[in-house]
Amino acid sequence: MAPHFVSYVKLISYMKRVLPKEGDVIMSDETTGADKSYSAPALEKGLDILESLAEKESAVSLRELAERLGKSKNEIFRMIHVLIARGYVQRDSDTDELTLSPKLFALGLRTPQSRTLLEIALPEMRTLAEAVNQAPHLVVLYRGRTVIIGSIPTNSDVTFNLHLGYGRVASEAASGRVIMAFQPEEKRALMLRDCQNHGAKPFDGVAINAILDGVRRQGHILGKSTDFLGITDICCPILNFDGDAVASIIVPHVDRVSDTDDLTQVLDAVKQTCERISQKL
């Protein structure tokens, strides 16, 4: 499974936190003396299935999913069929393996916080794309992974565009490093721990923090892509009122033999775009 939807399963996690669990007692607003106990085991089972699929980076069989959840295949069989029918899970017709559909990702983009960021950022990114003739991407972080939630294509004959939902382990990505660089010490440490939990290549904590400190001093990253040949990453943070990064904008600049672009000018354009978005946020 491509890691499209990991970022937006926080919606599911939130629902699990706020829904009462079996044995919880809820006071009725309309009664003063009677307690009621509510539980929703079927709903929790469905949320467990979605979260488990989101944590996997490849499709899984029904048997493997059941083992991960500590349940029998019969216990989750009907729930899987409902999730498929509602469009949250998709099944490969050849292998019967299961993955998440794009529906959760689409739901995540409809949350107020995501809408606000996108509503402010996309017009500015459109102006940026026209100015530098390259495709800017809006990136957020969730549980140690980067997730692209917005991008603007260009009319250039050659451009580099990553699809919405694409993500990498944050410690290995320029966009992720920029976001982590502009975090308080404790939050950065948690983010790096999440990176390790996602199976990132082992890294020295002192070394990676030194890299992030350098990014923070510079205020940006401008360098060869750590993932693709022929690409120069140009990335700056979008900051909140406290100076912490809530997102980043990265321009994967296509390096051409005949290219005469001054990348410092592209960097300045990205930086100014991020500053305007930060001010509006």
Side-chain angles (χ1 to χ4, degrees):
M1 181 191 72
H4 295 37
F5 322 114
V6 175
S7 154
Y8 293 101
V9 177
K10 59 186 176 183
L11 176 65
I12 301 170
S13 300
Y14 172 75
M15 291 171 66
K16 287 195 71 175
R17 291 197 300 273
V18 301
L19 281 170
K21 296 178 176 58
E22 187 172 0
D24 288 351
V25 176
I26 300 177
M27 296 295 295
S28 171
D29 292 335
E30 299 175 0
T31 60
T32 55
D35 294 348
K36 277 193 173 182
S37 179
Y38 295 93
S39 65
L43 177 57
E44 290 199 1
K45 189 186 298 181
L47 295 174
D48 287 340
I49 289 170
L50 293 174
E51 287 183 341
S52 182
L53 287 174
E55 290 167 1
K56 288 288 292 181
E57 296 191 15
S58 58
V60 298
S61 66
L62 181 63
R63 179 188 58 78
E64 181 182 352
L65 180 61
E67 289 176 354
R68 286 171 57 84
L69 296 173
K71 300 182 182 298
S72 69
K73 289 195 297 183
N74 288 339
E75 283 183 273
I76 65 172
F77 180 80
R78 293 176 65 183
M79 183 64 68
I80 288 292
H81 276 269
V82 171
L83 291 171
I84 292 173
R86 293 295 298 269
Y88 288 96
V89 172
Q90 52 195 18
R91 180 173 54 195
D92 188 293
S93 58
D94 294 326
T95 65
D96 281 339
E97 290 183 323
L98 306 167
T99 59
L100 287 180
S101 76
K103 190 168 184 177
L104 280 175
F105 183 72
L107 283 176
L109 291 180
R110 290 163 58 185
T111 61
Q113 182 178 6
S114 295
R115 286 203 308 268
T116 299
L117 178 58
L118 285 167
E119 286 167 0
I120 292 173
L122 289 180
E124 296 288 351
M125 291 168 61
R126 193 166 291 110
T127 301
L128 173 63
E130 293 172 357
V132 301
N133 208 27
Q134 298 283 336
H137 297 71
L138 180 64
V139 182
V140 296
L141 223 61
Y142 182 66
R143 290 188 179 178
R145 293 196 72 92
T146 61
V147 181
I148 294 175
I149 64 170
S151 65
I152 303 294
T154 71
N155 293 323
S156 175
D157 58 340
V158 177
T159 189
F160 189 83
N161 192 58
L162 296 167
H163 60 72
L164 295 182
Y166 174 83
R168 296 177 61 202
V169 176
S171 57
E172 300 170 5
S175 57
R177 289 181 175 182
V178 164
I179 294 174
M180 289 193 296
F182 289 85
Q183 301 296 335
E185 183 177 345
E186 290 184 3
K187 190 170 183 181
R188 183 197 288 185
L190 290 173
M191 288 177 168
L192 288 173
R193 190 181 311 160
D194 285 339
C195 292
Q196 291 285 32
N197 291 339
H198 269 296
K201 298 173 184 175
F203 53 72
D204 182 300
V206 174
I208 190 66
N209 274 294
I211 292 172
L212 298 179
D213 288 342
V215 172
R216 185 171 187 127
R217 285 193 299 271
Q218 282 188 318
H220 64 268
I221 284 179
L222 192 161
K224 296 298 182 183
S225 170
T226 58
D227 199 26
F228 300 101
L229 294 174
I231 298 294
T232 297
D233 287 335
I234 304 171
C235 187
C236 296
I238 296 173
L239 306 176
N240 63 17
F241 183 79
D242 296 321
D244 303 334
V246 297
S248 64
I249 288 181
I250 184 167
V251 172
H253 191 281
V254 179
D255 300 329
R256 306 178 69 168
V257 173
S258 60
D259 206 346
T260 58
D261 286 354
D262 183 348
L263 295 188
T264 60
Q265 291 183 359
V266 179
L267 172 63
D268 288 342
V270 176
K271 188 176 298 185
Q272 291 170 18
T273 298
C274 289
E275 288 173 354
R276 288 194 297 271
I277 296 170
S278 297
Q279 290 170 2
K280 292 179 179 180
L281 282 174

